[in-house]
Amino acid sequence: MSDEQLNNDHENEIKRLKARLIQPLIGEDTISLRKYILTYPLLTIRKVLLSLNITNANSIFPDIANNAVAMSEFIISAIRSRKESPPLLYLQHLINDSKGDLAPIESIVWLKKDPEACYYFWSVLISLEWMSVLKELKKYNFHVYSQTVYNYDPNNKFVVDVLKIPTAIAGHKERYSSIVKILNELPFRGAEIGHLISMVFYSYKSDKTNCNKKANIDLLIKNKEVIIFSLSYLQKKGISVPYTEPLTEADNKCSLVTQLYLLSRNDDFKVLINAMIKAWSQKKIREKEKAINKKKVIEHLRVNEESMKMLNELSSKYNESQTTLVNMAVALLYKEMV
């Protein structure tokens, strides 16, 4: 073997030894970074990951949003590839930035004094689809996977589901607190969340103005009875707006107003309102007629209390007036007699 070959073999052996020595160091460094990342809560890890704006991570975020280890792998890989500074220092910088970059909650404080606007804001927030938010805030920096191939459809995932935020809320005070929680849990920059708040606020003003231009809804929200009727009407017709249904009677009016604002986007909104008002008027006329008929029966026939009770039950069951039922009974008895 020549001297040149010996030298080449020697150099190759040194390279192999160096590679073996360096590899554990790289592995240990990765483990250290991962351990460091995992000491922070999910919200911080989410914010750091999305601040890096990694296309692949953005694309599957709903699937890894609650998996700290999976998110840490994306973060470490991105930090190493960008070579901004020593990995740990760069990571610390990202974490400090995310902790200090808060949602501009001060811009929604006015909702405390406006229960109807608060209900609208809350309803819109809990029905936000993750993909819609990502399109607006990350400007299409993601892949759209085919559901048939990947069994993954981000369009069916809502922000609150991705972040596991409860939405069964009752009461104005609790609803405002829920809005604050949702905004604080969003893993975006403060400026991005501010943009989202502005979008919802614009939507609220636009829908409210549009509703008032198209129809007068005052009659449908003037008292508890008509509000309950209106909510029931929308439900029976199958046109209730999802995620806006009230959990308590105290929320009925705010829920109805929110639904009407959102429904006003439809071309046939004025027709809907007129139909609801007509249905309400007919209900009141029927009730008035029943009351008059009941009074007539009692006054003219002197029906005893037990018979009156049965008559009322029959009237409700067959949707006929007491007078009509009495006439039917007389006709039936007369027929049997003859």
Side-chain angles (χ1 to χ4, degrees), residues 115 118-119 122-123 126 166-179 243-252 254-255:
C118 185
Y119 201 103
W122 174 76
S123 299
I126 66 170
T167 57
I169 306 295
H172 171 55
K173 206 172 181 182
E174 293 74 14
R175 192 163 291 106
Y176 176 77
S177 298
S178 176
I179 292 174
Y243 313 107
T244 59
E245 296 87 351
L247 293 181
T248 64
E249 186 179 335
D251 291 331
N252 281 350
C254 292
S255 169

Side-chain angles (χ1 to χ4, degrees), residues 66-175:
N66 296 287
N67 187 333
V69 174
M71 287 192 289
S72 70
E73 295 299 329
F74 276 105
I75 293 170
I76 293 169
S77 177
I79 288 173
R80 289 194 174 287
S81 64
R82 297 187 184 195
K83 299 177 181 177
E84 303 281 346
S85 60
L88 185 57
L89 288 178
Y90 185 38
L91 177 58
Q92 288 172 337
H93 170 71
L94 291 172
I95 288 172
N96 289 335
D97 272 0
S98 70
K99 287 161 68 178
D101 193 12
L102 304 176
I105 301 301
E106 63 279 359
S107 64
I108 64 158
V109 173
W110 64 276
L111 291 176
K112 286 182 179 180
K113 297 180 180 179
D114 193 334
E116 289 176 12
C118 185
Y119 201 103
Y120 180 98
F121 262 66
W122 174 76
S123 299
V124 170
L125 282 180
I126 66 170
S127 59
L128 279 176
E129 291 180 345
W130 177 259
M131 187 58 70
S132 299
V133 175
L134 205 62
K135 284 178 181 177
E136 182 63 34
L137 302 185
K138 291 304 177 185
K139 303 303 177 188
Y140 294 89
N141 189 24
F142 54 87
H143 300 300
V144 178
Y145 294 127
S146 168
Q147 185 179 8
T148 55
V149 177
Y150 293 91
N151 194 29
Y152 171 72
D153 185 7
N155 292 309
N156 290 334
K157 293 180 181 290
F158 294 93
V159 170
V160 289
D161 294 331
V162 171
L163 305 179
K164 297 192 180 300
I165 299 172
T167 57
I169 306 295
H172 171 55
K173 206 172 181 182
E174 293 74 14
R175 192 163 291 106

Side-chain angles (χ1 to χ4, degrees), residues 18 35 138 181 208 223 273 279:
K18 279 184 177 179
K35 283 182 178 178
K138 291 304 177 185
K181 179 177 175 60
K208 183 177 181 179
N223 59 47
I273 296 301

